[in-house]
Amino acid sequence: DGGITQSPKYLFRKEGQNVTLSCEQNLNHDAMYWYRQDPGQGLRLIYYSQIVNDFQKGDIAEGYSVSREKKESFPLTVTSAQKNPTAFYLCASSMGNRRYGYTFGSGTRLTVV
Amino acid sequence: RKEVEQDPGPFNVPEGATVAFNCTYSNSASQSFFWYRQDCRKEPKLLMSVYSSGNEDGRFTAQLNRASQYISLLIRDSKLSDSATYLCVVGPYNAGNMLTFGGGTRLMVKP
Protein backbone atom coordinates (compact mmCIF):
# COMPACT_ATOMS: atom_id res chain seq x y z
CA ASP A 1 0.00 0.00 0.00
CA GLY A 2 1.17 3.52 -0.76
CA GLY A 3 1.92 5.79 2.10
CA ILE A 4 4.32 8.07 3.92
CA THR A 5 6.62 6.67 6.59
CA GLN A 6 8.35 8.61 9.32
CA SER A 7 11.02 7.20 11.56
CA PRO A 8 11.78 6.91 14.34
CA LYS A 9 8.48 7.23 16.17
CA TYR A 10 10.23 8.51 19.30
CA LEU A 11 13.62 10.23 19.45
CA PHE A 12 15.62 11.57 22.35
CA ARG A 13 18.27 14.21 21.80
CA LYS A 14 20.97 15.40 24.11
CA GLU A 15 21.76 19.08 24.39
CA GLY A 16 24.01 20.22 21.54
CA GLN A 17 23.37 17.18 19.39
CA ASN A 18 22.14 17.13 15.81
CA VAL A 19 19.48 14.55 14.94
CA THR A 20 17.89 13.58 11.64
CA LEU A 21 14.26 12.60 11.18
CA SER A 22 13.43 10.38 8.25
CA CYS A 23 10.47 10.83 5.89
CA GLU A 24 9.87 8.50 2.94
CA GLN A 25 6.86 8.32 0.63
CA ASN A 26 5.90 5.90 -2.13
CA LEU A 27 2.90 7.88 -3.35
CA ASN A 28 4.83 9.44 -6.25
CA HIS A 29 3.99 12.85 -4.80
CA ASP A 30 6.03 15.81 -6.01
CA ALA A 31 5.68 18.02 -2.95
CA MET A 32 6.78 17.28 0.61
CA TYR A 33 6.51 19.29 3.81
CA TRP A 34 7.73 19.34 7.39
CA TYR A 35 5.61 20.69 10.23
CA ARG A 36 6.16 21.12 13.92
CA GLN A 37 3.35 20.81 16.45
CA ASP A 38 3.69 21.79 20.10
CA PRO A 39 1.23 20.53 22.73
CA GLY A 40 -2.20 22.08 22.27
CA GLN A 41 -0.98 24.12 19.32
CA GLY A 42 -1.53 24.15 15.59
CA LEU A 43 0.86 23.09 12.83
CA ARG A 44 3.78 25.34 11.94
CA LEU A 45 5.60 24.94 8.63
CA ILE A 46 9.34 24.35 8.87
CA TYR A 47 10.41 23.58 5.29
CA TYR A 48 8.78 22.46 2.08
CA SER A 49 9.89 21.11 -1.27
CA GLN A 50 7.85 21.26 -4.46
CA ILE A 51 10.38 19.34 -6.56
CA VAL A 52 13.57 17.30 -6.24
CA ASN A 53 16.71 19.29 -5.45
CA ASP A 54 14.73 22.35 -4.44
CA PHE A 55 13.26 23.42 -1.10
CA GLN A 56 12.10 26.59 0.63
CA LYS A 57 11.99 27.82 4.20
CA GLY A 58 8.70 27.88 6.00
CA ASP A 59 7.69 30.04 8.94
CA ILE A 60 10.07 28.53 11.53
CA ALA A 61 13.12 27.26 9.58
CA GLU A 62 15.80 28.54 11.99
CA GLY A 63 17.71 25.67 13.57
CA TYR A 64 16.54 23.13 10.98
CA SER A 65 17.90 21.88 7.67
CA VAL A 66 16.55 19.60 4.93
CA SER A 67 17.58 17.94 1.70
CA ARG A 68 15.60 16.62 -1.25
CA GLU A 69 17.95 14.45 -3.28
CA LYS A 70 15.27 11.92 -4.18
CA LYS A 71 11.59 12.34 -4.90
CA GLU A 72 10.72 9.78 -2.26
CA SER A 73 12.77 11.21 0.61
CA PHE A 74 12.77 14.47 2.56
CA PRO A 75 14.85 14.14 5.76
CA LEU A 76 14.83 16.86 8.40
CA THR A 77 17.86 17.62 10.57
CA VAL A 78 17.27 19.32 13.89
CA THR A 79 20.52 21.10 14.65
CA SER A 80 21.98 22.24 17.94
CA ALA A 81 20.99 25.78 16.92
CA GLN A 82 17.35 24.87 17.55
CA LYS A 83 17.03 25.87 21.20
CA ASN A 84 13.65 24.33 21.92
CA PRO A 85 13.32 21.24 19.73
CA THR A 86 10.99 19.19 21.91
CA ALA A 87 7.86 18.78 19.77
CA PHE A 88 5.86 16.49 17.52
CA TYR A 89 7.22 16.57 13.95
CA LEU A 90 4.97 15.74 11.03
CA CYS A 91 5.98 15.09 7.46
CA ALA A 92 3.42 15.40 4.67
CA SER A 93 3.28 14.99 0.92
CA SER A 94 0.94 16.06 -1.84
CA MET A 95 0.48 15.81 -5.56
CA GLY A 96 1.13 19.53 -5.86
CA ASN A 97 -2.37 20.10 -7.11
CA ARG A 98 -4.68 22.33 -5.13
CA ARG A 99 -7.55 19.90 -5.57
CA TYR A 100 -5.93 17.45 -3.19
CA GLY A 101 -5.01 17.72 0.42
CA TYR A 102 -1.91 16.48 2.14
CA THR A 103 -1.14 12.96 3.31
CA PHE A 104 0.67 12.90 6.64
CA GLY A 105 3.10 10.46 8.14
CA SER A 106 2.49 9.21 11.66
CA GLY A 107 4.98 11.66 13.12
CA THR A 108 8.14 11.67 15.21
CA ARG A 109 8.02 12.76 18.82
CA LEU A 110 11.35 14.43 19.69
CA THR A 111 12.38 15.05 23.28
CA VAL A 112 15.50 16.79 24.55
CA VAL A 113 17.04 15.04 27.54
CA ARG B 1 -5.46 38.55 11.72
CA LYS B 2 -4.68 34.87 11.26
CA GLU B 3 -5.14 33.46 7.76
CA VAL B 4 -7.41 30.69 9.03
CA GLU B 5 -9.22 31.08 12.34
CA GLN B 6 -11.10 28.54 14.39
CA ASP B 7 -12.67 28.54 17.83
CA PRO B 8 -10.33 26.26 19.80
CA GLY B 9 -13.17 24.94 21.98
CA PRO B 10 -13.49 22.49 23.58
CA PHE B 11 -17.00 21.75 22.47
CA ASN B 12 -18.47 19.33 24.99
CA VAL B 13 -21.56 17.58 23.64
CA PRO B 14 -23.58 14.50 24.62
CA GLU B 15 -23.76 11.45 22.41
CA GLY B 16 -26.37 11.87 19.72
CA ALA B 17 -26.13 15.65 19.62
CA THR B 18 -25.62 17.75 16.53
CA VAL B 19 -22.61 20.06 16.63
CA ALA B 20 -21.31 22.62 14.16
CA PHE B 21 -17.92 24.29 13.78
CA ASN B 22 -17.14 27.37 11.75
CA CYS B 23 -13.85 28.50 10.32
CA THR B 24 -13.04 31.87 8.73
CA TYR B 25 -10.30 32.54 6.21
CA SER B 26 -8.73 35.84 5.20
CA ASN B 27 -7.58 35.23 1.61
CA SER B 28 -10.52 35.81 -0.71
CA ALA B 29 -8.59 34.10 -3.55
CA SER B 30 -8.62 30.78 -1.70
CA GLN B 31 -9.88 27.96 -3.85
CA SER B 32 -9.46 24.69 -1.97
CA PHE B 33 -10.96 23.83 1.38
CA PHE B 34 -10.71 20.78 3.60
CA TRP B 35 -11.56 19.48 7.03
CA TYR B 36 -9.00 17.26 8.73
CA ARG B 37 -9.40 15.25 11.90
CA GLN B 38 -6.56 14.83 14.39
CA ASP B 39 -6.74 12.39 17.28
CA CYS B 40 -4.62 12.99 20.37
CA ARG B 41 -0.93 12.40 19.66
CA LYS B 42 -1.66 11.24 16.11
CA GLU B 43 -1.26 12.71 12.65
CA PRO B 44 -4.02 14.71 10.95
CA LYS B 45 -6.17 12.72 8.54
CA LEU B 46 -8.33 14.08 5.75
CA LEU B 47 -11.98 14.02 6.78
CA MET B 48 -13.49 15.64 3.72
CA SER B 49 -12.96 18.22 1.03
CA VAL B 50 -15.37 21.14 0.92
CA TYR B 51 -17.01 21.94 -2.39
CA SER B 52 -18.69 25.16 -3.45
CA SER B 53 -22.14 23.57 -3.46
CA GLY B 54 -21.62 21.94 -0.09
CA ASN B 55 -21.20 18.23 0.40
CA GLU B 56 -22.18 15.46 2.74
CA ASP B 57 -20.48 12.27 3.84
CA GLY B 58 -22.65 10.21 6.13
CA ARG B 59 -23.16 12.16 9.35
CA PHE B 60 -20.82 14.95 8.24
CA THR B 61 -21.85 17.96 6.17
CA ALA B 62 -19.48 20.67 4.97
CA GLN B 63 -20.54 24.06 3.66
CA LEU B 64 -18.65 26.91 2.02
CA ASN B 65 -19.72 30.55 2.12
CA ARG B 66 -17.43 32.51 -0.19
CA ALA B 67 -19.16 35.84 0.38
CA SER B 68 -18.50 35.71 4.10
CA GLN B 69 -15.29 33.69 3.75
CA TYR B 70 -16.12 30.87 6.07
CA ILE B 71 -16.56 27.13 5.95
CA SER B 72 -18.50 24.99 8.33
CA LEU B 73 -18.63 21.38 9.46
CA LEU B 74 -21.81 19.86 10.86
CA ILE B 75 -21.73 16.54 12.68
CA ARG B 76 -25.06 14.84 13.28
CA ASP B 77 -25.75 12.08 15.80
CA SER B 78 -22.36 12.52 17.51
CA LYS B 79 -20.51 9.37 18.53
CA LEU B 80 -17.93 8.96 21.28
CA SER B 81 -15.45 8.16 18.51
CA ASP B 82 -15.97 11.61 17.00
CA SER B 83 -13.97 13.09 19.90
CA ALA B 84 -10.95 14.68 18.26
CA THR B 85 -9.57 17.99 17.06
CA TYR B 86 -10.96 19.20 13.75
CA LEU B 87 -8.63 21.26 11.57
CA CYS B 88 -9.88 23.70 8.97
CA VAL B 89 -7.53 23.84 5.98
CA VAL B 90 -7.50 26.38 3.17
CA GLY B 91 -5.50 26.49 -0.06
CA PRO B 92 -4.71 29.24 -2.59
CA TYR B 93 -5.61 29.45 -6.25
CA ASN B 94 -1.97 29.41 -7.31
CA ALA B 95 1.40 28.87 -5.60
CA GLY B 96 1.29 25.12 -5.99
CA ASN B 97 -0.58 23.36 -3.26
CA MET B 98 0.46 25.26 -0.16
CA LEU B 99 -2.26 24.74 2.40
CA THR B 100 -2.83 26.84 5.50
CA PHE B 101 -4.02 25.05 8.63
CA GLY B 102 -6.23 26.51 11.30
CA GLY B 103 -5.39 25.89 14.92
CA GLY B 104 -8.15 23.33 15.29
CA THR B 105 -11.39 22.95 17.24
CA ARG B 106 -11.47 20.32 19.93
CA LEU B 107 -14.62 18.21 20.22
CA MET B 108 -15.39 16.02 23.22
CA VAL B 109 -18.42 13.77 22.97
CA LYS B 110 -19.65 12.53 26.34
CA PRO B 111 -21.75 9.43 27.06
Side-chain angles (χ1 to χ4, degrees), chain A residues 33 35 37 43 45 88 90 94 96-98 100-102 104-106 109, chain B residues 31-32 34 36 38 41-44 92-93 95-99 101 103:
Chain A
Y33 314 83
Y35 287 89
Q37 188 173 38
L43 302 176
L45 182 64
F88 187 41
L90 287 158
S94 76
N97 183 312
R98 65 177 176 84
Y100 302 98
Y102 294 172
F104 282 88
S106 57
R109 202 163 294 277
Chain B
Q31 291 291 328
S32 52
F34 309 91
Y36 275 71
Q38 185 175 24
R41 301 175 71 84
K42 299 285 189 179
E43 75 274 23
Y93 181 76
N97 190 31
M98 288 302 300
L99 302 180
F101 288 77

Side-chain angles (χ1 to χ4, degrees), chain A residues 52-108:
Chain A
V52 175
N53 292 321
D54 188 45
F55 50 83
Q56 284 77 42
K57 293 181 178 180
D59 301 318
I60 57 164
E62 186 175 349
Y64 300 98
S65 65
V66 293
S67 63
R68 186 88 188 274
E69 297 176 1
K70 298 186 300 182
K71 187 176 185 177
E72 301 79 19
S73 178
F74 192 39
L76 173 75
T77 296
V78 184
T79 75
S80 57
Q82 172 49 242
K83 297 307 178 189
N84 186 21
T86 295
F88 187 41
Y89 290 87
L90 287 158
C91 180
S93 68
S94 76
M95 293 183 68
N97 183 312
R98 65 177 176 84
R99 293 172 60 86
Y100 302 98
Y102 294 172
T103 300
F104 282 88
S106 57
T108 293

